[in-house]
Amino acid sequence: MKLMEDTKVKQLQPNAKKVNKEESGNEELIKRKQITDSPFEVITRDGYSFGVMGNYRLTEQNYSKNQVKEVSKELEKITWNRIVQVIMILDEIRDKLKKKEILETLDKTEKV
């Protein structure tokens, strides 16, 4: 079972390097928990957790004892607020992709 966990961590962090024990004191430990059947994850670091969708934070920082469970439950709820958040994130991503596509098109036309 441990082997599978190690593999999952490597897949989530493909550019992560191995750190020896002396260096690990300076490194920040970040844990990720995928919410089943959703695009959401719970990120835990420095004693607090919060919910994310990709690079976008969805929830406030939670410092309670059962923080991962509480954030997970909050992300699993389908509320109007969560729906609006997801739509706004998707719209922002779409706009970024359109801008990138336009810039690539301009670069190609300038080279010709």
Side-chain angles (χ1 to χ4, degrees):
M1 186 72 164
K2 184 158 178 74
L3 180 62
M4 292 179 78
E5 290 174 7
D6 291 343
T7 304
K8 188 173 184 180
V9 171
K10 289 178 185 175
Q11 289 172 352
L12 292 174
Q13 300 173 350
N15 297 325
K17 65 176 185 174
K18 290 185 178 180
V19 179
N20 63 27
K21 290 182 181 179
E22 294 170 5
E23 292 180 43
S24 65
N26 297 332
E27 296 291 322
E28 187 175 315
L29 180 63
I30 299 174
K31 295 181 183 178
R32 294 176 176 263
K33 178 186 180 251
Q34 177 69 41
I35 305 299
T36 307
D37 297 329
S38 79
F40 309 129
E41 289 182 310
V42 178
I43 305 293
T44 302
R45 63 181 246 199
D46 296 334
Y48 63 89
S49 297
F50 55 90
V52 298
M53 179 177 152
N55 295 331
Y56 298 89
R57 183 179 294 193
L58 297 174
T59 65
E60 297 292 325
Q61 296 174 353
N62 186 325
Y63 292 92
S64 71
K65 190 174 183 178
N66 296 322
Q67 58 193 354
V68 175
K69 284 185 180 181
E70 289 177 9
V71 174
S72 295
K73 284 182 182 179
E74 187 176 337
L75 289 173
E76 289 171 355
K77 293 178 186 173
I78 300 174
T79 63
W80 282 110
N81 184 41
R82 187 75 62 233
I83 291 169
V84 170
Q85 283 179 317
V86 170
I87 290 171
M88 290 178 68
I89 289 170
L90 293 175
D91 189 51
E92 186 172 331
I93 291 170
R94 186 189 67 182
D95 288 346
K96 285 181 181 179
L97 289 172
K98 279 185 179 179
K99 287 177 185 175
K100 182 179 177 183
E101 186 178 309
I102 289 170
L103 290 175
E104 288 174 354
T105 303
L106 288 174
D107 286 344
K108 287 179 183 177
T109 56
E110 288 177 358
K111 290 180 182 178
V112 174

